[in-house]
Amino acid sequence: MYIQIAVVAIAVILIAGENLEAVADSQSSTEDSTSSIVATKPTLQIEGEYAKYGDYIGLTPVDTQPVEFSQRIVKDIQIRFVNNKDQLIDDKGQPIKGRTQKEFIIGLLKLKPGEVFREDLLEADLQRLRRLESFNEVNVYRQEDVNGVNLIYEIKERNFPSLILGGGSNEDVGLFGRVGYKDENISGLNDKLDTTVQISGKDVQFNGQFTSRYRPEEPNRLGYSIKAFRNRNISGTFNEDIRLSNGDKVREGRFGGSVGVLRSFDEWDAAISLNYTRISLRDRDYKVVQVDSLGNPLSVSGTGIDDLYTVLFSVSRDQRDRRENPTQGSILTLSTEQAIPIGLGNISSNRLLGDYIQYLPVSWIGKGRPTDNPEMLAINLQIGTTIGNFPPADAFNIGGLDSVRGYGYGKVASGRSYGLASVEYRFPIFYSVGGVLFTDFASDFGSSETVLGEPGVLRDKPGSGFGYGLGLRVKSSFGLIRGDLGISDRGELRFEVTTGQRF
């Protein structure tokens, strides 16, 4: 029995605001965490000078009748911001000012002034806004008269930008310190900057990415993304079962970057990017090594270093009710990445990936009670394969906290292909505490033998694995804390702690 406990110690300092920002993105409030909008026969509750969609929140559509379109015209759209106290007015009696530009928000909407009011378009607009990372909560209200409809959106923004401080220790670099800066709403246009720098006695690692998203109101303008990274860790492909000739574990370093363009088509988001990654295999002193203790090659080039120049194309369709901790909906992502045969290794390959997640609300024990951890079934299906030659360090490593729980990282297989299926039953315990029953299964479909040097076969990785267990989800001031106790089909027991949902 092995028990691994990963302890996350993070202090977060908000740069522009009075409150501490969560290490992970804060989850939506309970009022927002209920999700689906009923697109048939909405109930109106008159509240003061405008009407609220009382049936929007917390219900699953059950009426299969066709959507009925009215001939009422949308006269006006108003955007109002609320603060963390759910107030529309500040202490000076002035309306709360948001960082997000109102013109940007209106540009995302399908239902605009002058158009015929449609319930289905209002539903799609509300969900589209709730999926933005910069918004914590979005509600919509309407005023009606014989001449038409006024729509009023009330938006609570997340506290950005934020400064993230942390540190810890691992078996590769020892003690380290980490600092990060994150902003999801640069210039009020939802542009994103996410940077992290880690410093230890052995090296400096970093990850930085800037993304300017595609804006539907500017159809001739493409979005773009720029990324750079340098990191190192114990190799998941060449783990400790077979070491280097000097007894060291194999370290895997990656350095590179990418540039890409982004475009949306209806409900699909597409991206194409040029990427470069240099993969190097090294010993404890970070000296490049060519073979393991058995003489098996660690790289395609034979030098211990491989270059990957690739073109990546991906599409995704996001139908979740919101981005963080969704309660229903789905997201599908498909990608193909073609390697160009230049640089060390002269690598030519194509990597194909598919990822599908479905969220199904249920009411087995929760009975619809308000909670930060709504009851649901969450299902994740993944599949991938690589055609052609590729670095063994770039094999699909199965097993670990984000794969088959109960196994260590890469302990199930290192294959050319893989398939993964995970199912979670999520249920509330207390208002901010939830439980999870989960099961994971994955296989390399017998493809480990086709990887250069057969690292998975020589290290006696089983090729397929099954894990199950239970976990806790706690919404805290540090974001959603996840603790999972996994049991593998080989009897290994692992407890690991991190932030955010598994999927």
Side-chain angles (χ1 to χ4, degrees):
M1 176 185 303
Y2 301 91
I3 299 179
Q4 175 178 327
I5 301 178
V7 179
V8 178
I10 309 174
V12 182
I13 302 175
L14 179 65
I15 291 179
E18 298 179 353
N19 298 321
L20 291 177
E21 175 66 9
V23 170
D25 290 341
S26 61
Q27 309 299 324
S28 299
S29 69
T30 300
E31 295 176 0
D32 185 41
S33 68
T34 60
S35 56
S36 176
I37 302 176
V38 178
T40 62
K41 299 181 181 179
T43 300
L44 293 178
Q45 299 174 352
I46 304 300
E47 296 185 0
E49 62 181 10
Y50 53 87
K52 179 178 180 180
Y53 271 141
D55 283 353
Y56 265 14
I57 300 178
L59 297 179
T60 302
V62 294
D63 192 339
T64 59
Q65 297 179 9
V67 173
E68 298 179 0
F69 300 142
S70 75
Q71 294 303 311
R72 290 166 296 171
I73 301 299
V74 177
K75 297 191 300 181
D76 185 37
I77 294 179
Q78 299 180 36
I79 307 296
R80 299 176 177 176
F81 294 99
V82 298
N83 58 21
N84 291 330
K85 299 178 181 179
D86 295 322
Q87 298 171 331
L88 293 167
I89 305 297
D90 62 21
D91 296 337
K92 297 180 180 179
Q94 299 298 316
I96 300 298
K97 293 183 179 180
R99 293 186 67 203
T100 310
Q101 295 184 23
K102 294 183 179 181
E103 294 78 8
F104 168 78
I105 298 173
I106 294 176
L108 296 174
L109 305 178
K110 298 290 186 182
L111 197 58
K112 291 183 169 63
E115 297 183 358
V116 175
F117 177 79
R118 288 172 47 178
E119 300 282 359
D120 60 330
L121 290 183
L122 183 58
E123 172 188 354
D125 285 343
L126 184 58
Q127 291 190 358
R128 188 176 298 108
L129 294 181
R130 284 178 171 173
R131 287 196 293 264
L132 294 180
E133 295 182 13
S134 57
F135 293 164
N136 189 49
E137 181 180 344
V138 182
N139 290 304
V140 64
Y141 307 87
R142 68 182 183 183
Q143 294 174 328
E144 296 184 81
D145 57 33
V146 294
N147 297 320
V149 181
N150 293 328
L151 298 179
I152 303 170
Y153 287 90
E154 289 189 359
I155 297 172
K156 180 186 293 185
E157 296 178 307
R158 290 189 177 148
N159 292 323
F160 286 115
S162 61
L163 183 66
I164 303 170
L165 302 175
S169 176
N170 64 40
E171 60 178 327
D172 180 23
V173 299
L175 292 174
F176 64 87
R178 182 179 296 151
V179 60
Y181 176 88
K182 186 173 184 178
D183 193 349
E184 299 279 1
N185 199 7
I186 296 175
S187 301
L189 297 172
N190 272 244
D191 289 346
K192 176 181 178 180
L193 177 63
D194 194 350
T195 61
T196 303
V197 177
Q198 178 178 300
I199 301 175
S200 68
K202 289 192 173 182
D203 72 347
V204 176
Q205 303 179 41
F206 60 85
N207 281 278
Q209 183 170 2
F210 175 79
T211 302
S212 181
R213 296 177 174 88
Y214 173 74
R215 301 166 193 161
E217 72 277 15
E218 302 179 41
N220 295 325
R221 173 194 176 276
L222 294 175
Y224 63 93
S225 177
I226 303 172
K227 181 179 181 179
F229 60 89
R230 182 181 187 272
N231 52 59
R232 57 172 279 180
N233 211 332
I234 301 295
S235 175
T237 303
F238 307 101
N239 59 31
E240 66 273 13
D241 295 333
I242 296 178
R243 303 194 177 194
L244 299 173
S245 57
N246 62 3
D248 287 352
K249 296 180 181 179
V250 182
R251 270 72 175 174
E252 183 179 308
R254 290 177 181 255
F255 168 81
S258 68
V259 293
V261 293
L262 315 173
R263 181 71 160 84
S264 296
F265 304 90
D266 295 327
E267 296 300 319
W268 290 89
D269 297 320
I272 185 169
S273 62
L274 298 175
N275 314 276
Y276 170 71
T277 303
R278 166 160 285 196
I279 304 174
S280 59
L281 290 310
R282 301 171 183 266
D283 62 13
R284 184 173 183 175
D285 296 324
Y286 220 48
K287 294 180 181 178
V288 176
V289 291
Q290 292 77 39
V291 297
D292 61 21
S293 61
L294 300 180
N296 299 301
L298 302 179
S299 64
V300 174
S301 68
T303 66
I305 300 175
D306 286 327
D307 289 324
L308 275 175
Y309 293 87
T310 67
V311 178
L312 172 67
F313 175 72
S314 66
V315 293
S316 64
R317 188 180 187 187
D318 190 346
Q319 295 182 305
R320 297 172 293 178
D321 57 348
R322 63 179 185 273
R323 183 180 295 270
E324 295 298 327
N325 200 23
T327 63
Q328 64 177 330
S330 65
I331 179 169
L332 171 66
T333 304
L334 303 171
S335 68
T336 175
E337 186 172 13
Q338 177 65 48
I340 304 170
I342 56 178
L344 290 174
N346 198 38
I347 296 167
S348 176
S349 63
N350 189 272
R351 191 177 183 94
L352 300 168
L353 291 171
D355 191 341
Y356 178 73
I357 303 173
Q358 178 71 56
Y359 303 97
L360 301 170
V362 297
S363 299
W364 296 340
I365 65 172
K367 298 181 180 180
R369 295 192 305 269
T371 174
D372 285 334
N373 299 277
E375 188 178 7
M376 76 172 75
L377 286 176
I379 302 169
N380 181 213
L381 303 175
Q382 299 178 26
I383 193 166
T385 190
T386 303
I387 303 169
N389 65 324
F390 63 95
D394 219 29
F396 292 109
N397 290 313
I398 306 172
L401 183 60
D402 294 320
S403 179
V404 180
R405 285 162 284 192
Y407 280 89
Y409 175 64
K411 293 299 184 68
V412 174
S414 295
R416 175 183 293 271
S417 305
Y418 87 107
L420 170 67
S422 296
V423 179
E424 291 189 350
Y425 168 54
R426 303 174 184 174
F427 56 91
I429 299 177
F430 303 110
Y431 185 81
S432 297
V433 180
V436 174
L437 298 176
F438 63 82
T439 181
D440 308 310
F441 173 78
S443 173
D444 68 353
F445 305 119
S447 65
S448 290
E449 296 179 357
T450 67
V451 178
L452 178 67
E454 300 185 359
V457 176
L458 294 175
R459 287 159 179 80
D460 198 30
K461 299 183 182 182
S464 62
F466 173 78
Y468 61 94
L470 53 86
L472 283 177
R473 306 291 185 265
V474 180
K475 185 177 181 181
S476 71
S477 57
F478 294 100
L480 186 70
I481 306 299
R482 167 163 67 107
D484 284 335
L485 177 65
I487 305 171
S488 74
D489 54 355
R490 292 193 164 191
E492 185 176 0
L493 181 71
R494 301 178 70 89
F495 178 67
E496 298 178 286
V497 178
T498 185
T499 57
Q501 293 282 11
R502 155 73 172 78
F503 55 89

